[in-house]
Amino acid sequence: METDDKTQAPVTTIREIGQHEGQVVTIRGWLYNLRSSGKLLFPIFRDGSGLLQGVVAKNQVAPEVFEAIKGLTQESSVIVEGKVRADQRAPGGYEIDVQHARVVQKVPEDDPYPITPKEHGVEFLMEHRHLWVRSQRQAAILRVRAAIIKATRDFYDSRGFTLTDPPILTPAACEGTTTLFPVDYFGEEAYLTQSGQLYAEATAMALGKVYSFGPTFRAEKSKTRRHLMEFWMVEPEVAFAELDDVMKLAEESISAIVKYVLETRRADLETIGRDISKLEKIQPPFPRISYDEAVKMLQEGHAKGELETRFEYGGDFGAPDETYISSKFDRPVMVHRYPAAVKAFYMEPDPQDPKLALCVDVLAPEGYGEIIGGSQRIGSYELLRARIREHGLPEEAFRWYLDLRKFGGVPHGGFGMGVERAVAWICGLEHVRETIPFARMLYKIYP
Ligand code: 4AD
Ligand code: MG
């Protein structure tokens, strides 16, 4: 425990306050709310770890302490010292009887904190995102996000995967040329990466099982509730893995992540208002259906009047299609073997029907849609070169990638899980904008 040299008592956090019952401690934070009733003040403090109600009695503190707290404005920063007392009725089970207070910075009365307990529109809140993150619900989402990331890293680290960070500045497209953010690289055209996959394939040939975890970028002018221009992706890649191994890994990693969040962040899920019983069902095995079966479901759904338009075989699923398919299951559903024509250039064809790709999309339940996309990768040098040409990709930029099929090529595969899509689903959020501290969205780059 540290000591703040301006105060006498040891500094602690609200989360750890229970360890100090009966003791005098120092709490450093912000004023969340203030009620008063005559000679008593009831300030509520927050310090990032929790909320704590204080009691300030006029006849027990110096007059300047009482006046300072009485005049405190919302979100003013403050350091208080007081005695910790257990109280059944208090939110965290404890209160603090304030003895001293030092105001660090008072929010001006004539320019008050803009986010008040009254309702604000999303536009306004996003414009004030730098302050909005202080609200209880937003802070809870960020803690769940951190737990999802930790669970993801722990999952791969404990299974013999090596983290290999791919470059962010790249000379070529991974997921299609229409969605690249260009960058001037000393006079050469470069791009922000869409996926670390191609580089993970190279490191998988060096280390066997690897994963990359970093920011990725997509420039399509999309305004949907699932789309971010900049998002974080975890991408495992495994040498000698085939499609079934990829699906098993997806199922096990998602289950481990949800389990960890339920074990460690239950209170935050409650703050967010998540229906926790839905998450408790997320356990292997996950249903596996082929693209063909999924198309049949969609066409039957249309015949029953549950879907407006009839889905035509051969296309990729749109958000309403994914929502419909996933609504039929209580856990993530793995849709495999899409037509190669609607998927990326690097996917291995199905030997049973080469028009299909050995790929999988994992659709989260409750209408959340795709959270994972993955596949087995093309093994043949000749076929890969042909695909690169068919997709109009610059062969020169892919020379190194083709080398991987020339020097000890093996069957291999992996997938990418979008962190924000996972956060949206696990927290039960309507829109990905709340899943990352500062969302990058169409035409919006402030703050
Ligand atoms: O399906 P995608 O495009 O697959 C790839 O990038 C592969 N190279 C991954 C691999 O096999 N290593 O993207 C993977 C996941 C999606 O399932 C989704 O969760 C997320 O990344 N994602 C997005 N998340 C937020 N905003 C966007 N614009 C996203 N685009 C993809
Ligand atoms: Mg995809």
Side-chain angles (χ1 to χ4, degrees), residues 276-297:
I276 290 172
S277 68
K278 294 241 162 65
L279 294 178
E280 279 166 340
K281 298 201 180 104
I282 309 306
Q283 284 172 19
F286 294 172
R288 291 153 164 78
I289 63 171
S290 67
Y291 172 87
D292 287 24
E293 288 167 312
V295 170
K296 262 185 220 121
M297 279 178 63

Side-chain angles (χ1 to χ4, degrees), residues 184-226:
D184 172 46
Y185 197 75
F186 306 111
E188 226 182 288
E189 173 124 302
Y191 311 96
L192 296 180
T193 188
Q194 297 170 312
S195 156
Q197 178 199 319
L198 307 187
Y199 294 95
E201 287 184 52
T203 55
M205 297 305 129
L207 296 151
K209 294 198 279 187
V210 301
Y211 69 105
S212 77
F213 201 147
T216 48
F217 305 85
R218 303 283 166 100
E220 60 255 60
K221 293 197 169 129
S222 167
K223 256 190 151 168
T224 70
R225 62 193 180 88
R226 297 174 184 181

